[in-house]
Amino acid sequence: MHLKRFTYLMFFVTTALMAVLASCQKDSDQKDTGALKTSITDSAVVSSPANLLAAAGTLSLTVKDSTYIFDAATDSIAFINVHDDAEENNRYFGITAINKEHTMSFGISSSGYVHENKNGDIAGSQFLLNPGLKQAGFQFSLSRYAGQKDFGYIHIDKYDQDSVLAKGTFHTYLSTSDKANSPVYKVEGAFNLRLK
């Protein structure tokens, strides 16, 4: 029951945050980080002042022998902190990203409070790729078939120190379906996000 509720919450938060980020297209000549932070934190979905849009740095992930990179110089990458007021002690953190062309998005989350040297189990993840009309797109989401015990982890080396927003690594297991016989792919990644 709790897992199902969280899945809906994560889907709603990720979708809404990606919509907010998509409306905040970055312009390299006119970056107003304060205005972007305000637009994100004033959102009805994202209520924590600790939700920050990266000004520099990258998020990379490798799945099926292909590596995908989000670059904060052109793409939107945000570190998010979410709490569910309806349930006590329900807190999550994670990263969500969408590229400038709006053809690729990724989100990953873990439960609890974020801090330096944090190891957290993966609570939700999704990777969407829609490269265009000439190539087929695909959608991966966290594999949760019966019997699976390891959904991956996220390790935070640094968080909110000097100009570092977040730095760390992760791995998780994504699938195109939630059926037990669907193929599951290990996704490994790293992020080094900066505030300036």
Side-chain angles (χ1 to χ4, degrees):
M1 178 70 174
H2 173 69
L3 187 60
K4 187 175 182 182
R5 196 172 325 125
F6 173 73
T7 301
Y8 289 129
L9 173 67
M10 190 62 201
F11 176 76
F12 174 74
V13 169
T14 301
T15 304
L17 187 57
M18 285 183 181
V20 169
L21 290 175
S23 69
C24 297
Q25 289 259 337
K26 285 192 170 191
D27 182 347
S28 60
D29 295 327
Q30 297 178 347
K31 285 187 182 176
D32 184 353
T33 307
L36 290 175
K37 289 178 189 175
T38 301
S39 70
I40 291 174
T41 57
D42 287 347
S43 166
V45 176
V46 184
S47 59
S48 171
N51 298 305
L52 299 171
L53 191 62
T58 60
L59 164 69
S60 64
L61 61 123
T62 301
V63 58
K64 293 177 68 175
D65 298 326
S66 296
T67 299
Y68 303 91
I69 299 173
F70 295 91
D71 186 342
T74 54
D75 305 325
S76 296
I77 308 172
F79 195 93
I80 58 172
N81 287 282
V82 178
H83 63 275
D84 182 0
D85 292 331
E87 292 187 39
E88 194 173 315
N89 299 323
N90 230 1
R91 189 167 184 95
Y92 302 93
F93 68 90
I95 301 170
T96 185
I98 187 166
N99 69 342
K100 182 179 180 180
E101 296 80 14
H102 296 220
T103 57
M104 179 172 67
S105 63
F106 177 74
I108 194 162
S109 67
S110 180
S111 60
Y113 290 88
V114 62
H115 55 77
E116 182 179 357
N117 291 320
K118 163 91 175 181
N119 286 314
D121 293 332
I122 298 300
S125 185
Q126 186 174 49
F127 178 49
L128 306 171
L129 183 66
N130 184 15
L133 298 175
K134 295 183 180 181
Q135 292 178 300
F138 59 84
Q139 174 178 335
F140 286 119
S141 57
L142 188 65
S143 171
R144 293 192 180 279
Y145 64 87
Q148 184 175 342
K149 295 182 176 21
D150 180 14
F151 300 114
Y153 77 90
I154 185 168
H155 176 75
I156 307 292
D157 294 319
K158 292 185 179 180
Y159 176 70
D160 198 17
Q161 295 177 2
D162 301 320
S163 63
V164 175
L165 169 55
K167 180 179 179 182
T169 58
F170 62 86
H171 85 262
T172 188
Y173 300 94
L174 300 183
S175 179
T176 56
S177 172
D178 61 356
K179 295 178 181 173
N181 60 351
S182 296
V184 175
Y185 303 96
K186 184 175 184 178
V187 178
E188 296 182 294
F191 50 94
N192 188 356
L193 306 174
R194 303 186 70 80
L195 294 168
K196 56 185 176 180

